[in-house]
Structure formats: structure tokens, C-alpha cells
Amino acid sequence: MTPTPIDLDVAIIGGGPGGLATALALTRAVKGTRVKVFERAKTYRPLGAGVGMDVNGMKAIEAIDPALEKWFYANGWTVPVAKTFDERGNEVKSEKMDPGVSMKKYGKRGTILGWYEIQSAFYRALPSDTVVFDSRFQSYEEDSDGVTVHFAGDNPGPVRAKVLIGADGYFSAVRQQCLNDGPPDFAGTVCWRARVNMKQPLEYSSWYFGAEKVGLLYPISADHMVWTGSAPIKLVKEAGVDFDPSNGGRFRASTQAIEGVDNALERCLKVFEGYPEAFLEVVRETDPRAVAEHGIFTRQAEALPADGWGRGRVTLIGDAAHPVRPTGQGLNMTMEDAAELAWHVQQHGLTAEALRSFELERIPRVGVIVKKAQQQGEAAYKKHAQDASQDNRRFALEDDYTDFKNKKNFRPLYISDITS
């Protein structure tokens, strides 16, 4: 006997911050929206790295929920000084970070939080039964009235929704059925990272450039910090570390930490052998189970589908729609997606028209930011730290791009009575 489908307005695949933010935005925009988020993990745990919420991301969060924006600022972390070191540990530059400059120019400032803290904040803002854990998307069927979604092992049973949203990351299974356009491109970079306890307060963030590698140490709270290390695939292989993005890449490409991938800690230490001791000391003392290893995967700006990244009653957000190099815009762009999608649903109802309208508005802006992230990411892997530092600073001082990114305002999501 076929079970009766769970009846919803919106089914969201992927319970990261993007999927949760989209669920919250839709419930804020349209009164009474029945939405569920289907997450493959069995629960949320304090894993993952830190996230720099930029001005544009904070503006989007304000449009979704002003109270949540206030929580981000109250609980976020601001690093007063950013220092740059070369591959031998010599200080190249020290720069004071003044949030007042951004506040004066854009009316907002950035802040740093842990991925887990961001995820938890959105989770708490939603009804307690919104997220369905331990549910693995399998496929969907669409007709003129909606979408029927199926999950592995019928856990849960079939779900019937007016629209389906894929928020399931780089290797989106929703995207593959919807567009069938293959996996994203491996950007040629391998990354390791971990969230760790902080022995003593960090007075500055530390950037390590040079030898074609990048290392970073930064606080995300009074008690925790994050380290990341990334290197081109050629250096990874030269260190005797095997990494094949076409073999198991799905499990090394998550934006959340995947614990204990082939002893990722040892692999990272091999690649970063000889790097400054101040960086390696933090890495060595990390619990191996907390270390995530993954490739960087992207889709070129030129590859964004001109007619939208969804079809029919299905759309995508975040990395599922437009994966970018990790230069600080990934989650910020996802927050923009959530706010903009909810606004279009508010205007056009839960329809295919709303989804295409959302996508076509987003594509030009997303294309600019994806292209800039690609350029900025590639510029970081220089032989000499001074060159990488200068390029990093040059990108930061590009006023036209910064204004383009930060001056955009998002339409507030007041409660509507749209029910179509």
C-alpha cells in the first residue's frame, strides 16, 4: 500500500544555514506557509569552520528577520587587527580593522561567527518540527500542481509540495535531476580546516601566504578559533598525499566538517611541512576527528544558465546554484538568495513564475561576484607572501566592486496573506 504523501507548501533539501534561512524567510514573507527542511545528518553538532558575514549578508538577514540580525551582531566576533606573515613566519603587514568605516559608508558592518552558531540561530528561529533529520533525498516527480519528493528508505515517506528548493550544496542531487549538467569544476585546490578550543584570547587574525599555500588562524568566539590551510593540487601530490576529486570528491566537498577523512590531519601536516611553527602548533594539537578535508569546487560565472538554474516548480539556492571560491561571499550570497526568493514568492505566490523571476533577477549580480571570487581566490597562491598580500589588499580596495557588493538593499519581508 502506497503511503499518503506528507502535504506541504515548500520542501527544502539541505539543512545548512541556507536551507534554514530560506525556510525562515518564506514563513516571514507568506503567512501560514507550510515548510519542512530535510537534512541528511542525524542532528546538528558544533562542527564546521567560521564564517565572515559581510555587509551584504547582514543586510539580507535584516530583511528576513531584524531580530536575528541583532542577534548576529550581539554574538558575532570582530577581529581588531589582521596580520600577514610569509611562509617563514616573518610579519609582512599589520592592519587595524575599523568597523566604523563600513558603518559610515554602508550602514552595516561585518561580523564573524561559527558555522554551527549560525546554523543554530536559524534553527531556533523556526518551529521546532521544521527540520526532518536523517532524511536523504532520492528523487522527485513533477506535475502541473506540484512536486512529489522521495527519500532513501522512505524516511520520511513521500512528500508532496507546491515547490521544491535544493539547498544541498556543491554536489546537489536536486540540481542533477533538475538540470543534469554534471558536477561542478574542481578548482585545483585542496583545503583542510577545523574548529578548536582557544587556549588564550587571540588579539589578531593571522594570514600566512607564500610557497603557493595559504594558512589562516582566526577567532570565532571568546572560546573557539578556526584554522584553515589550502594548497594547489600539484603541491598536495608532491607531498605524497593522494587526492582524487573524481573519486570520493562528494565526501570531501562539503561546506560542513566531515570528520576523520583518511586521517586528514596527517595529510594536512605533510602538505604544510616547514610552514611557520605558530600555525603548525595549532594544527598539530587538533583532534584528528575534527579536521575536515575537501576540494574547492566552483562553476564559472559564464556557465550560469541564462534562463535560470531551476525548472518548473524546482529551484536552487546557495552552493547548489552558484558555488564560489571561499573568499568570503559563499554564505553571504546564500543569505541574499533566501531574502530574494521569499520576496518573489510573496509577489507571485508559490509558483514556477516566482522561481524564474527570482533566478533571472539574481543571475547578473551572482555572475559578477562569482567571477571576482574566482580571481581573488586564484591570486592567493603565490610563491612570495608579499605578492599575495598585495593582491589581497588590491581586491579589498576596489571601491567599485565593494560598492556593488555592499550598497544593495533588500526588500523587507513583512507578513503577507498570499496563499496561492
Side-chain angles (χ1 to χ4, degrees):
M1 181 176 178
T2 303
T4 302
I6 301 170
D7 190 34
L8 300 172
D9 293 316
V10 182
I12 299 175
I13 307 302
L20 298 175
T22 302
L24 182 62
L26 289 167
T27 59
R28 293 289 188 267
V30 183
K31 184 178 181 180
T33 300
R34 299 167 301 159
V35 57
K36 294 282 187 186
V37 178
F38 298 92
E39 165 58 32
R40 63 187 297 168
K42 293 183 178 180
T43 187
Y44 290 138
R45 293 185 294 161
L47 303 174
V51 178
M53 295 306 304
D54 207 343
V55 169
N56 58 318
M58 293 306 297
K59 284 185 173 182
I61 291 171
E62 181 186 31
I64 295 169
D65 188 337
L68 198 56
E69 181 221 13
K70 290 182 174 62
W71 183 92
F72 270 62
Y73 279 133
N75 292 273
W77 202 254
T78 300
V79 180
V81 177
K83 291 192 176 185
T84 301
F85 301 88
D86 66 18
E87 71 275 18
R88 294 178 295 277
N90 301 312
E91 185 175 320
V92 174
K93 183 180 68 176
S94 180
E95 183 178 8
K96 183 178 180 180
M97 312 303 289
D98 183 2
V101 174
S102 178
M103 288 294 297
K104 183 177 180 180
K105 189 169 185 179
Y106 304 117
K108 289 281 183 290
R109 62 175 175 83
T111 191
I112 301 173
L113 296 99
W115 175 276
Y116 173 72
E117 280 73 18
I118 294 173
Q119 188 177 48
S120 298
F122 282 111
Y123 179 63
R124 290 192 302 269
L126 289 161
S128 59
D129 62 347
T130 300
V131 179
V132 181
F133 290 103
D134 197 20
S135 55
R136 294 173 176 262
F137 168 83
Q138 192 170 55
S139 64
Y140 70 85
E141 300 160 2
E142 183 179 358
D143 56 46
S144 60
D145 297 322
V147 181
T148 302
V149 188
H150 301 280
F151 297 86
D154 285 328
N155 182 32
V159 170
R160 182 70 177 171
K162 294 178 181 177
V163 298
L164 171 65
I165 300 171
D168 49 341
Y170 286 156
F171 290 88
S172 168
V174 176
R175 180 179 185 129
Q176 287 316 302
Q177 180 174 344
C178 181
L179 299 181
N180 192 29
D181 59 352
D185 300 320
F186 177 51
T189 305
V190 183
C191 181
W192 294 267
R193 54 186 167 76
R195 170 187 177 130
V196 298
N197 293 329
M198 193 157 50
K199 288 185 175 180
Q200 56 187 21
L202 284 183
E203 297 179 356
Y204 53 85
S205 62
S206 299
W207 290 84
Y208 296 89
F209 291 114
E212 301 179 67
K213 305 171 190 175
V214 178
L216 176 60
L217 305 173
Y218 61 98
I220 58 172
S221 71
D223 303 313
H224 295 94
M225 62 179 290
V226 166
W227 65 260
T228 69
S230 54
I233 188 67
K234 68 171 186 176
L235 296 186
V236 173
K237 291 183 176 180
E238 287 173 5
V241 172
D242 176 56
F243 183 91
D244 182 358
S246 66
N247 180 18
R250 174 186 298 274
F251 302 104
R252 294 176 179 169
S254 174
T255 50
Q256 300 186 55
I258 303 169
E259 295 180 314
V261 178
D262 298 342
N263 204 342
L265 178 60
E266 287 186 10
R267 294 157 62 84
C268 177
L269 289 170
K270 283 183 180 180
V271 174
F272 280 84
E273 184 178 357
Y275 232 55
E277 185 59 28
F279 174 75
L280 291 178
E281 181 181 6
V282 176
V283 176
R284 285 194 205 98
E285 293 181 356
T286 304
D287 183 340
R289 295 171 298 175
V291 180
E293 175 189 272
H294 59 92
I296 303 298
F297 293 83
T298 66
R299 293 185 187 271
Q300 299 294 320
E302 296 77 12
L304 287 169
D307 56 348
W309 49 61
R311 297 290 183 270
R313 290 178 171 270
V314 181
T315 192
L316 310 168
I317 66 152
D319 287 337
H322 44 75
V324 299
R325 273 185 171 269
T327 56
Q329 275 302 301
L331 189 56
N332 288 286
M333 293 298 288
T334 304
M335 295 298 105
E336 290 192 12
D337 286 346
E340 296 283 61
L341 174 57
W343 186 86
H344 282 275
V345 167
Q346 189 181 74
Q347 304 307 304
H348 304 291
L350 292 164
T351 62
E353 178 188 4
L355 306 187
R356 297 299 86 71
S357 177
F358 152 70
E359 294 162 8
L360 293 177
E361 179 179 348
R362 293 292 289 151
I363 285 171
R365 176 172 172 83
V366 167
V368 171
I369 293 178
V370 167
K371 189 170 185 177
K372 184 61 67 173
Q374 185 74 19
Q375 295 169 348
Q376 188 174 359
E378 291 173 350
Y381 300 93
K382 298 290 182 66
K383 288 186 177 181
H384 303 293
Q386 190 70 41
D387 294 337
S389 177
Q390 288 175 352
D391 280 347
N392 194 48
R393 184 60 178 160
R394 174 171 58 83
F395 280 113
L397 293 176
E398 288 185 354
D399 287 343
D400 289 347
Y401 170 70
T402 304
D403 286 348
F404 170 82
K405 175 171 61 71
N406 291 341
K407 282 188 174 180
K408 179 175 175 59
N409 293 311
F410 299 90
R411 296 154 292 208
L413 300 173
Y414 56 89
I415 292 296
S416 168
D417 289 320
I418 294 175
T419 58
S420 62

